[in-house]
Amino acid sequence: MANIQKKKSDKGPTPEEILAGFQNLRAEQRALSGKLSEFEVDLNEHRMVIETLKNVNEERKCFRLIGGILTERTVKDVLPALTTNQEKLKEIIEKLHEQISKKGQEINDYREKHNIKFRGIDNPKQDEQPVTSTESRGNVLVS
């Protein structure tokens, strides 16, 4: 049995394994993009609240939701915390942009390594021809 498994690994991954790996990379990139969208919404909300509170008396009461608990504070207590959170959100968003770019490069490298083609994008004229099952095992076509 060990010889059979060894022979399998010598051929490299199957097209299904290559496609699964590619889909995993794309899913990771989509998850990062989803997180990025959430943080951008939070950043926009922080920006709107900060702009609103700048024009309010510092001694005025305001309420802040912390860990699901609504707390009563003054504007002068809340505004610096919101500004700090806004700066942290900007840093996180910047890091997520970098991670998404790196993941995109990793996906492109994976595509080149395994010769993955997209129907209609990489070779539009190929769509006009019927797909045959005589393609080599190293190529994967994603539609």
Side-chain angles (χ1 to χ4, degrees), residues 41-88:
V41 167
D42 287 347
L43 179 64
N44 190 39
E45 288 176 0
H46 274 72
R47 189 176 296 128
M48 289 186 332
V49 171
I50 289 169
E51 288 300 316
T52 302
L53 290 180
K54 281 182 180 179
N55 301 323
V56 175
N57 182 357
E58 288 185 341
E59 297 302 320
R60 187 169 176 182
K61 289 182 191 176
C62 65
F63 296 90
R64 182 173 180 209
L65 190 63
I66 301 173
I69 299 172
L70 195 60
T71 59
E72 182 179 334
R73 305 271 189 219
T74 61
V75 172
K76 70 178 179 183
D77 294 333
V78 171
L79 196 54
L82 287 174
T83 305
T84 302
N85 285 351
Q86 182 184 27
E87 293 304 315
K88 288 179 183 177

mmCIF file of all heavy atoms in Angstrom, residues 41-88:
data_model
loop_
_atom_site.group_PDB
_atom_site.id
_atom_site.type_symbol
_atom_site.label_atom_id
_atom_site.label_comp_id
_atom_site.label_asym_id
_atom_site.label_seq_id
_atom_site.Cartn_x
_atom_site.Cartn_y
_atom_site.Cartn_z
ATOM 1 N N VAL A 41 -17.297 50.468 7.642
ATOM 2 C CA VAL A 41 -18.580 50.969 8.138
ATOM 3 C C VAL A 41 -18.395 51.542 9.545
ATOM 4 O O VAL A 41 -18.898 52.629 9.852
ATOM 5 C CB VAL A 41 -19.653 49.852 8.127
ATOM 6 C CG1 VAL A 41 -20.891 50.258 8.918
ATOM 7 C CG2 VAL A 41 -20.029 49.495 6.701
ATOM 8 N N ASP A 42 -17.667 50.804 10.405
ATOM 9 C CA ASP A 42 -17.404 51.299 11.759
ATOM 10 C C ASP A 42 -16.643 52.624 11.722
ATOM 11 O O ASP A 42 -16.946 53.541 12.493
ATOM 12 C CB ASP A 42 -16.591 50.273 12.562
ATOM 13 C CG ASP A 42 -17.415 49.068 12.980
ATOM 14 O OD1 ASP A 42 -18.654 49.128 12.871
ATOM 15 O OD2 ASP A 42 -16.806 48.068 13.415
ATOM 16 N N LEU A 43 -15.653 52.728 10.839
ATOM 17 C CA LEU A 43 -14.881 53.959 10.720
ATOM 18 C C LEU A 43 -15.776 55.124 10.305
ATOM 19 O O LEU A 43 -15.678 56.223 10.862
ATOM 20 C CB LEU A 43 -13.743 53.787 9.713
ATOM 21 C CG LEU A 43 -12.858 55.006 9.473
ATOM 22 C CD1 LEU A 43 -12.107 55.382 10.745
ATOM 23 C CD2 LEU A 43 -11.882 54.739 8.342
ATOM 24 N N ASN A 44 -16.666 54.881 9.363
ATOM 25 C CA ASN A 44 -17.586 55.926 8.916
ATOM 26 C C ASN A 44 -18.515 56.357 10.053
ATOM 27 O O ASN A 44 -18.780 57.556 10.231
ATOM 28 C CB ASN A 44 -18.388 55.440 7.710
ATOM 29 C CG ASN A 44 -19.168 56.562 7.065
ATOM 30 O OD1 ASN A 44 -18.690 57.690 6.951
ATOM 31 N ND2 ASN A 44 -20.387 56.258 6.650
ATOM 32 N N GLU A 45 -18.992 55.395 10.846
ATOM 33 C CA GLU A 45 -19.855 55.724 11.978
ATOM 34 C C GLU A 45 -19.081 56.548 13.011
ATOM 35 O O GLU A 45 -19.610 57.521 13.557
ATOM 36 C CB GLU A 45 -20.404 54.451 12.616
ATOM 37 C CG GLU A 45 -21.440 53.757 11.773
ATOM 38 C CD GLU A 45 -21.908 52.436 12.361
ATOM 39 O OE1 GLU A 45 -21.414 52.037 13.447
ATOM 40 O OE2 GLU A 45 -22.777 51.804 11.745
ATOM 41 N N HIS A 46 -17.847 56.156 13.283
ATOM 42 C CA HIS A 46 -17.021 56.929 14.216
ATOM 43 C C HIS A 46 -16.831 58.363 13.706
ATOM 44 O O HIS A 46 -16.925 59.319 14.478
ATOM 45 C CB HIS A 46 -15.650 56.258 14.416
ATOM 46 C CG HIS A 46 -15.642 55.203 15.472
ATOM 47 N ND1 HIS A 46 -16.239 53.983 15.293
ATOM 48 C CD2 HIS A 46 -15.095 55.199 16.712
ATOM 49 C CE1 HIS A 46 -16.069 53.272 16.384
ATOM 50 N NE2 HIS A 46 -15.365 53.970 17.265
ATOM 51 N N ARG A 47 -16.561 58.481 12.431
ATOM 52 C CA ARG A 47 -16.340 59.796 11.829
ATOM 53 C C ARG A 47 -17.584 60.684 11.996
ATOM 54 O O ARG A 47 -17.474 61.859 12.374
ATOM 55 C CB ARG A 47 -15.991 59.632 10.351
ATOM 56 C CG ARG A 47 -15.535 60.902 9.670
ATOM 57 C CD ARG A 47 -15.117 60.665 8.220
ATOM 58 N NE ARG A 47 -13.949 59.790 8.162
ATOM 59 C CZ ARG A 47 -13.860 58.682 7.428
ATOM 60 N NH1 ARG A 47 -14.867 58.317 6.662
ATOM 61 N NH2 ARG A 47 -12.769 57.959 7.432
ATOM 62 N N MET A 48 -18.757 60.111 11.732
ATOM 63 C CA MET A 48 -19.997 60.897 11.852
ATOM 64 C C MET A 48 -20.257 61.318 13.291
ATOM 65 O O MET A 48 -20.622 62.471 13.552
ATOM 66 C CB MET A 48 -21.189 60.085 11.331
ATOM 67 C CG MET A 48 -21.192 59.920 9.831
ATOM 68 S SD MET A 48 -22.645 59.118 9.101
ATOM 69 C CE MET A 48 -23.279 58.054 10.329
ATOM 70 N N VAL A 49 -20.039 60.410 14.239
ATOM 71 C CA VAL A 49 -20.281 60.733 15.646
ATOM 72 C C VAL A 49 -19.286 61.787 16.129
ATOM 73 O O VAL A 49 -19.668 62.728 16.826
ATOM 74 C CB VAL A 49 -20.207 59.459 16.521
ATOM 75 C CG1 VAL A 49 -20.239 59.805 18.001
ATOM 76 C CG2 VAL A 49 -21.352 58.513 16.173
ATOM 77 N N ILE A 50 -18.019 61.650 15.740
ATOM 78 C CA ILE A 50 -16.999 62.629 16.139
ATOM 79 C C ILE A 50 -17.344 64.011 15.594
ATOM 80 O O ILE A 50 -17.261 65.018 16.313
ATOM 81 C CB ILE A 50 -15.597 62.176 15.689
ATOM 82 C CG1 ILE A 50 -15.147 60.977 16.532
ATOM 83 C CG2 ILE A 50 -14.591 63.299 15.779
ATOM 84 C CD1 ILE A 50 -13.896 60.276 16.019
ATOM 85 N N GLU A 51 -17.741 64.075 14.327
ATOM 86 C CA GLU A 51 -18.108 65.361 13.729
ATOM 87 C C GLU A 51 -19.303 65.977 14.453
ATOM 88 O O GLU A 51 -19.362 67.190 14.657
ATOM 89 C CB GLU A 51 -18.413 65.203 12.234
ATOM 90 C CG GLU A 51 -17.188 64.944 11.395
ATOM 91 C CD GLU A 51 -16.162 66.066 11.481
ATOM 92 O OE1 GLU A 51 -16.539 67.258 11.427
ATOM 93 O OE2 GLU A 51 -14.971 65.738 11.634
ATOM 94 N N THR A 52 -20.246 65.151 14.851
ATOM 95 C CA THR A 52 -21.425 65.646 15.570
ATOM 96 C C THR A 52 -21.045 66.147 16.956
ATOM 97 O O THR A 52 -21.485 67.221 17.385
ATOM 98 C CB THR A 52 -22.487 64.534 15.686
ATOM 99 O OG1 THR A 52 -22.839 64.095 14.368
ATOM 100 C CG2 THR A 52 -23.729 65.029 16.399
ATOM 101 N N LEU A 53 -20.208 65.393 17.663
ATOM 102 C CA LEU A 53 -19.854 65.750 19.040
ATOM 103 C C LEU A 53 -18.913 66.950 19.119
ATOM 104 O O LEU A 53 -18.845 67.608 20.157
ATOM 105 C CB LEU A 53 -19.238 64.547 19.760
ATOM 106 C CG LEU A 53 -20.188 63.400 20.078
ATOM 107 C CD1 LEU A 53 -19.438 62.281 20.785
ATOM 108 C CD2 LEU A 53 -21.380 63.870 20.911
ATOM 109 N N LYS A 54 -18.192 67.257 18.053
ATOM 110 C CA LYS A 54 -17.295 68.416 18.065
ATOM 111 C C LYS A 54 -18.062 69.718 18.252
ATOM 112 O O LYS A 54 -17.525 70.685 18.782
ATOM 113 C CB LYS A 54 -16.493 68.487 16.762
ATOM 114 C CG LYS A 54 -15.327 67.547 16.707
ATOM 115 C CD LYS A 54 -14.571 67.728 15.416
ATOM 116 C CE LYS A 54 -13.386 66.789 15.335
ATOM 117 N NZ LYS A 54 -12.653 66.933 14.058
ATOM 118 N N ASN A 55 -19.303 69.738 17.816
ATOM 119 C CA ASN A 55 -20.116 70.952 17.870
ATOM 120 C C ASN A 55 -21.007 71.013 19.103
ATOM 121 O O ASN A 55 -21.907 71.839 19.183
ATOM 122 C CB ASN A 55 -20.987 71.053 16.613
ATOM 123 C CG ASN A 55 -20.152 71.083 15.363
ATOM 124 O OD1 ASN A 55 -19.076 71.676 15.329
ATOM 125 N ND2 ASN A 55 -20.629 70.423 14.318
ATOM 126 N N VAL A 56 -20.763 70.111 20.078
ATOM 127 C CA VAL A 56 -21.619 70.025 21.258
ATOM 128 C C VAL A 56 -20.826 70.468 22.486
ATOM 129 O O VAL A 56 -19.613 70.271 22.562
ATOM 130 C CB VAL A 56 -22.115 68.565 21.436
ATOM 131 C CG1 VAL A 56 -22.920 68.395 22.710
ATOM 132 C CG2 VAL A 56 -22.944 68.136 20.236
ATOM 133 N N ASN A 57 -21.525 71.047 23.463
ATOM 134 C CA ASN A 57 -20.913 71.453 24.731
ATOM 135 C C ASN A 57 -20.248 70.235 25.380
ATOM 136 O O ASN A 57 -20.843 69.163 25.470
ATOM 137 C CB ASN A 57 -21.990 72.039 25.650
ATOM 138 C CG ASN A 57 -21.437 72.518 26.967
ATOM 139 O OD1 ASN A 57 -20.254 72.377 27.270
ATOM 140 N ND2 ASN A 57 -22.313 73.114 27.773
ATOM 141 N N GLU A 58 -19.018 70.417 25.879
ATOM 142 C CA GLU A 58 -18.250 69.304 26.447
ATOM 143 C C GLU A 58 -18.878 68.712 27.703
ATOM 144 O O GLU A 58 -18.618 67.567 28.052
ATOM 145 C CB GLU A 58 -16.819 69.758 26.774
ATOM 146 C CG GLU A 58 -15.964 69.975 25.567
ATOM 147 C CD GLU A 58 -14.527 70.307 25.966
ATOM 148 O OE1 GLU A 58 -14.280 70.722 27.127
ATOM 149 O OE2 GLU A 58 -13.656 70.146 25.106
ATOM 150 N N GLU A 59 -19.693 69.479 28.400
ATOM 151 C CA GLU A 59 -20.319 68.993 29.645
ATOM 152 C C GLU A 59 -21.646 68.284 29.395
ATOM 153 O O GLU A 59 -22.243 67.747 30.333
ATOM 154 C CB GLU A 59 -20.532 70.159 30.621
ATOM 155 C CG GLU A 59 -19.236 70.817 31.061
ATOM 156 C CD GLU A 59 -18.262 69.843 31.737
ATOM 157 O OE1 GLU A 59 -18.706 68.988 32.529
ATOM 158 O OE2 GLU A 59 -17.055 69.941 31.445
ATOM 159 N N ARG A 60 -22.074 68.256 28.184
ATOM 160 C CA ARG A 60 -23.352 67.621 27.850
ATOM 161 C C ARG A 60 -23.247 66.114 28.006
ATOM 162 O O ARG A 60 -22.220 65.509 27.694
ATOM 163 C CB ARG A 60 -23.741 67.977 26.417
ATOM 164 C CG ARG A 60 -25.110 67.513 26.044
ATOM 165 C CD ARG A 60 -25.532 68.108 24.743
ATOM 166 N NE ARG A 60 -26.823 67.561 24.369
ATOM 167 C CZ ARG A 60 -27.435 67.858 23.267
ATOM 168 N NH1 ARG A 60 -26.904 68.710 22.415
ATOM 169 N NH2 ARG A 60 -28.603 67.329 22.985
ATOM 170 N N LYS A 61 -24.337 65.514 28.472
ATOM 171 C CA LYS A 61 -24.381 64.065 28.644
ATOM 172 C C LYS A 61 -24.480 63.387 27.288
ATOM 173 O O LYS A 61 -25.142 63.872 26.376
ATOM 174 C CB LYS A 61 -25.601 63.639 29.458
ATOM 175 C CG LYS A 61 -25.562 63.983 30.893
ATOM 176 C CD LYS A 61 -26.829 63.455 31.557
ATOM 177 C CE LYS A 61 -26.983 63.992 32.951
ATOM 178 N NZ LYS A 61 -28.249 63.549 33.559
ATOM 179 N N CYS A 62 -23.819 62.252 27.182
ATOM 180 C CA CYS A 62 -24.007 61.409 26.005
ATOM 181 C C CYS A 62 -23.919 59.961 26.472
ATOM 182 O O CYS A 62 -23.480 59.674 27.588
ATOM 183 C CB CYS A 62 -22.981 61.721 24.914
ATOM 184 S SG CYS A 62 -21.295 61.365 25.345
ATOM 185 N N PHE A 63 -24.354 59.069 25.638
ATOM 186 C CA PHE A 63 -24.368 57.656 25.995
ATOM 187 C C PHE A 63 -23.500 56.891 25.014
ATOM 188 O O PHE A 63 -23.482 57.174 23.816
ATOM 189 C CB PHE A 63 -25.806 57.127 25.971
ATOM 190 C CG PHE A 63 -26.675 57.774 27.002
ATOM 191 C CD1 PHE A 63 -27.381 58.928 26.711
ATOM 192 C CD2 PHE A 63 -26.764 57.247 28.273
ATOM 193 C CE1 PHE A 63 -28.172 59.538 27.661
ATOM 194 C CE2 PHE A 63 -27.544 57.843 29.245
ATOM 195 C CZ PHE A 63 -28.260 59.002 28.939
ATOM 196 N N ARG A 64 -22.804 55.912 25.576
ATOM 197 C CA ARG A 64 -21.902 55.114 24.767
ATOM 198 C C ARG A 64 -22.152 53.648 25.066
ATOM 199 O O ARG A 64 -22.281 53.251 26.226
ATOM 200 C CB ARG A 64 -20.458 55.482 25.084
ATOM 201 C CG ARG A 64 -19.460 54.728 24.253
ATOM 202 C CD ARG A 64 -18.067 55.246 24.487
ATOM 203 N NE ARG A 64 -17.136 54.473 23.659
ATOM 204 C CZ ARG A 64 -15.888 54.257 23.989
ATOM 205 N NH1 ARG A 64 -15.398 54.753 25.090
ATOM 206 N NH2 ARG A 64 -15.120 53.554 23.198
ATOM 207 N N LEU A 65 -22.207 52.852 24.020
ATOM 208 C CA LEU A 65 -22.412 51.422 24.167
ATOM 209 C C LEU A 65 -21.049 50.753 24.278
ATOM 210 O O LEU A 65 -20.239 50.816 23.348
ATOM 211 C CB LEU A 65 -23.180 50.872 22.956
ATOM 212 C CG LEU A 65 -23.678 49.451 23.053
ATOM 213 C CD1 LEU A 65 -24.704 49.313 24.182
ATOM 214 C CD2 LEU A 65 -24.316 49.036 21.735
ATOM 215 N N ILE A 66 -20.785 50.134 25.428
ATOM 216 C CA ILE A 66 -19.508 49.460 25.658
ATOM 217 C C ILE A 66 -19.811 48.010 26.034
ATOM 218 O O ILE A 66 -20.380 47.733 27.090
ATOM 219 C CB ILE A 66 -18.697 50.136 26.786
ATOM 220 C CG1 ILE A 66 -18.430 51.596 26.449
ATOM 221 C CG2 ILE A 66 -17.395 49.390 27.028
ATOM 222 C CD1 ILE A 66 -17.778 52.378 27.566
ATOM 223 N N GLY A 67 -19.413 47.091 25.171
ATOM 224 C CA GLY A 67 -19.619 45.668 25.452
ATOM 225 C C GLY A 67 -21.076 45.310 25.688
ATOM 226 O O GLY A 67 -21.384 44.464 26.524
ATOM 227 N N GLY A 68 -21.983 45.961 24.987
ATOM 228 C CA GLY A 68 -23.397 45.657 25.111
ATOM 229 C C GLY A 68 -24.079 46.397 26.260
ATOM 230 O O GLY A 68 -25.259 46.200 26.515
ATOM 231 N N ILE A 69 -23.328 47.235 26.979
ATOM 232 C CA ILE A 69 -23.885 47.983 28.105
ATOM 233 C C ILE A 69 -23.853 49.470 27.754
ATOM 234 O O ILE A 69 -22.819 50.005 27.368
ATOM 235 C CB ILE A 69 -23.079 47.725 29.393
ATOM 236 C CG1 ILE A 69 -23.143 46.243 29.744
ATOM 237 C CG2 ILE A 69 -23.603 48.577 30.545
ATOM 238 C CD1 ILE A 69 -22.226 45.846 30.882
ATOM 239 N N LEU A 70 -24.997 50.116 27.911
ATOM 240 C CA LEU A 70 -25.094 51.537 27.619
ATOM 241 C C LEU A 70 -24.613 52.322 28.840
ATOM 242 O O LEU A 70 -25.139 52.162 29.945
ATOM 243 C CB LEU A 70 -26.541 51.901 27.286
ATOM 244 C CG LEU A 70 -26.783 53.241 26.623
ATOM 245 C CD1 LEU A 70 -26.039 53.311 25.295
ATOM 246 C CD2 LEU A 70 -28.264 53.471 26.414
ATOM 247 N N THR A 71 -23.590 53.143 28.658
ATOM 248 C CA THR A 71 -23.024 53.914 29.766
ATOM 249 C C THR A 71 -23.243 55.402 29.531
ATOM 250 O O THR A 71 -23.224 55.868 28.396
ATOM 251 C CB THR A 71 -21.507 53.647 29.918
ATOM 252 O OG1 THR A 71 -20.851 54.011 28.703
ATOM 253 C CG2 THR A 71 -21.235 52.192 30.218
ATOM 254 N N GLU A 72 -23.433 56.137 30.628
ATOM 255 C CA GLU A 72 -23.630 57.581 30.543
ATOM 256 C C GLU A 72 -22.307 58.273 30.829
ATOM 257 O O GLU A 72 -21.645 57.996 31.815
ATOM 258 C CB GLU A 72 -24.678 58.030 31.565
ATOM 259 C CG GLU A 72 -24.964 59.513 31.504
ATOM 260 C CD GLU A 72 -26.023 59.933 32.517
ATOM 261 O OE1 GLU A 72 -26.855 59.091 32.898
ATOM 262 O OE2 GLU A 72 -26.007 61.101 32.905
ATOM 263 N N ARG A 73 -21.912 59.154 29.936
ATOM 264 C CA ARG A 73 -20.654 59.901 30.065
ATOM 265 C C ARG A 73 -20.915 61.346 29.631
ATOM 266 O O ARG A 73 -22.007 61.695 29.214
ATOM 267 C CB ARG A 73 -19.570 59.307 29.157
ATOM 268 C CG ARG A 73 -19.297 57.852 29.350
ATOM 269 C CD ARG A 73 -18.247 57.657 30.390
ATOM 270 N NE ARG A 73 -17.870 56.237 30.395
ATOM 271 C CZ ARG A 73 -17.617 55.579 31.475
ATOM 272 N NH1 ARG A 73 -17.669 56.166 32.634
ATOM 273 N NH2 ARG A 73 -17.293 54.314 31.420
ATOM 274 N N THR A 74 -19.849 62.110 29.668
ATOM 275 C CA THR A 74 -19.932 63.464 29.104
ATOM 276 C C THR A 74 -19.190 63.456 27.768
ATOM 277 O O THR A 74 -18.377 62.575 27.493
ATOM 278 C CB THR A 74 -19.290 64.503 30.044
ATOM 279 O OG1 THR A 74 -17.923 64.178 30.223
ATOM 280 C CG2 THR A 74 -20.016 64.574 31.376
ATOM 281 N N VAL A 75 -19.456 64.457 26.970
ATOM 282 C CA VAL A 75 -18.826 64.551 25.653
ATOM 283 C C VAL A 75 -17.307 64.610 25.791
ATOM 284 O O VAL A 75 -16.578 63.964 25.040
ATOM 285 C CB VAL A 75 -19.364 65.774 24.877
ATOM 286 C CG1 VAL A 75 -18.582 66.008 23.599
ATOM 287 C CG2 VAL A 75 -20.840 65.591 24.569
ATOM 288 N N LYS A 76 -16.813 65.352 26.809
ATOM 289 C CA LYS A 76 -15.361 65.480 26.962
ATOM 290 C C LYS A 76 -14.703 64.146 27.325
ATOM 291 O O LYS A 76 -13.527 63.957 27.068
ATOM 292 C CB LYS A 76 -15.002 66.549 27.992
ATOM 293 C CG LYS A 76 -15.323 66.210 29.419
ATOM 294 C CD LYS A 76 -14.894 67.318 30.352
ATOM 295 C CE LYS A 76 -15.271 66.951 31.789
ATOM 296 N NZ LYS A 76 -14.951 68.012 32.714
ATOM 297 N N ASP A 77 -15.460 63.191 27.903
ATOM 298 C CA ASP A 77 -14.925 61.860 28.211
ATOM 299 C C ASP A 77 -14.967 60.939 26.994
ATOM 300 O O ASP A 77 -14.074 60.115 26.802
ATOM 301 C CB ASP A 77 -15.718 61.212 29.351
ATOM 302 C CG ASP A 77 -15.564 61.946 30.669
ATOM 303 O OD1 ASP A 77 -14.512 62.595 30.858
ATOM 304 O OD2 ASP A 77 -16.501 61.876 31.501
ATOM 305 N N VAL A 78 -16.006 61.084 26.210
ATOM 306 C CA VAL A 78 -16.228 60.161 25.093
ATOM 307 C C VAL A 78 -15.428 60.538 23.849
ATOM 308 O O VAL A 78 -14.885 59.667 23.163
ATOM 309 C CB VAL A 78 -17.744 60.094 24.764
ATOM 310 C CG1 VAL A 78 -17.996 59.318 23.479
ATOM 311 C CG2 VAL A 78 -18.503 59.469 25.910
ATOM 312 N N LEU A 79 -15.319 61.816 23.576
ATOM 313 C CA LEU A 79 -14.682 62.260 22.339
ATOM 314 C C LEU A 79 -13.227 61.776 22.182
ATOM 315 O O LEU A 79 -12.874 61.268 21.110
ATOM 316 C CB LEU A 79 -14.768 63.783 22.220
ATOM 317 C CG LEU A 79 -14.501 64.381 20.853
ATOM 318 C CD1 LEU A 79 -15.394 63.758 19.790
ATOM 319 C CD2 LEU A 79 -14.703 65.880 20.877
ATOM 320 N N PRO A 80 -12.377 61.861 23.202
ATOM 321 C CA PRO A 80 -11.013 61.342 23.034
ATOM 322 C C PRO A 80 -10.968 59.828 22.785
ATOM 323 O O PRO A 80 -10.159 59.345 21.982
ATOM 324 C CB PRO A 80 -10.321 61.683 24.358
ATOM 325 C CG PRO A 80 -11.129 62.765 24.964
ATOM 326 C CD PRO A 80 -12.526 62.563 24.481
ATOM 327 N N ALA A 81 -11.855 59.093 23.442
ATOM 328 C CA ALA A 81 -11.895 57.634 23.237
ATOM 329 C C ALA A 81 -12.323 57.308 21.805
ATOM 330 O O ALA A 81 -11.769 56.393 21.175
ATOM 331 C CB ALA A 81 -12.847 56.995 24.238
ATOM 332 N N LEU A 82 -13.300 58.054 21.297
ATOM 333 C CA LEU A 82 -13.754 57.831 19.921
ATOM 334 C C LEU A 82 -12.647 58.159 18.917
ATOM 335 O O LEU A 82 -12.463 57.450 17.930
ATOM 336 C CB LEU A 82 -14.995 58.671 19.615
ATOM 337 C CG LEU A 82 -16.297 58.212 20.249
ATOM 338 C CD1 LEU A 82 -17.405 59.219 19.974
ATOM 339 C CD2 LEU A 82 -16.686 56.839 19.757
ATOM 340 N N THR A 83 -11.914 59.224 19.181
ATOM 341 C CA THR A 83 -10.817 59.614 18.291
ATOM 342 C C THR A 83 -9.729 58.543 18.281
ATOM 343 O O THR A 83 -9.201 58.194 17.220
ATOM 344 C CB THR A 83 -10.237 60.978 18.729
ATOM 345 O OG1 THR A 83 -11.294 61.926 18.781
ATOM 346 C CG2 THR A 83 -9.187 61.462 17.758
ATOM 347 N N THR A 84 -9.414 58.007 19.463
ATOM 348 C CA THR A 84 -8.419 56.926 19.553
ATOM 349 C C THR A 84 -8.899 55.689 18.799
ATOM 350 O O THR A 84 -8.136 55.076 18.040
ATOM 351 C CB THR A 84 -8.160 56.564 21.034
ATOM 352 O OG1 THR A 84 -7.707 57.730 21.718
ATOM 353 C CG2 THR A 84 -7.132 55.467 21.155
ATOM 354 N N ASN A 85 -10.159 55.338 18.987
ATOM 355 C CA ASN A 85 -10.719 54.181 18.274
ATOM 356 C C ASN A 85 -10.693 54.396 16.765
ATOM 357 O O ASN A 85 -10.429 53.465 15.998
ATOM 358 C CB ASN A 85 -12.154 53.901 18.724
ATOM 359 C CG ASN A 85 -12.218 53.260 20.081
ATOM 360 O OD1 ASN A 85 -11.202 52.858 20.658
ATOM 361 N ND2 ASN A 85 -13.418 53.162 20.632
ATOM 362 N N GLN A 86 -10.966 55.629 16.338
ATOM 363 C CA GLN A 86 -10.948 55.938 14.915
ATOM 364 C C GLN A 86 -9.547 55.724 14.336
ATOM 365 O O GLN A 86 -9.395 55.146 13.258
ATOM 366 C CB GLN A 86 -11.407 57.374 14.676
ATOM 367 C CG GLN A 86 -11.474 57.761 13.223
ATOM 368 C CD GLN A 86 -11.845 59.219 13.028
ATOM 369 O OE1 GLN A 86 -11.590 60.067 13.877
ATOM 370 N NE2 GLN A 86 -12.460 59.507 11.885
ATOM 371 N N GLU A 87 -8.530 56.155 15.053
ATOM 372 C CA GLU A 87 -7.148 55.964 14.582
ATOM 373 C C GLU A 87 -6.792 54.487 14.513
ATOM 374 O O GLU A 87 -6.142 54.041 13.567
ATOM 375 C CB GLU A 87 -6.166 56.717 15.490
ATOM 376 C CG GLU A 87 -6.299 58.220 15.416
ATOM 377 C CD GLU A 87 -6.162 58.761 14.004
ATOM 378 O OE1 GLU A 87 -5.244 58.340 13.272
ATOM 379 O OE2 GLU A 87 -6.984 59.613 13.621
ATOM 380 N N LYS A 88 -7.230 53.714 15.502
ATOM 381 C CA LYS A 88 -6.966 52.267 15.495
ATOM 382 C C LYS A 88 -7.675 51.593 14.320
ATOM 383 O O LYS A 88 -7.125 50.702 13.685
ATOM 384 C CB LYS A 88 -7.391 51.636 16.819
ATOM 385 C CG LYS A 88 -6.483 51.997 17.971
ATOM 386 C CD LYS A 88 -6.949 51.370 19.262
ATOM 387 C CE LYS A 88 -6.058 51.795 20.423
ATOM 388 N NZ LYS A 88 -6.533 51.251 21.705
#
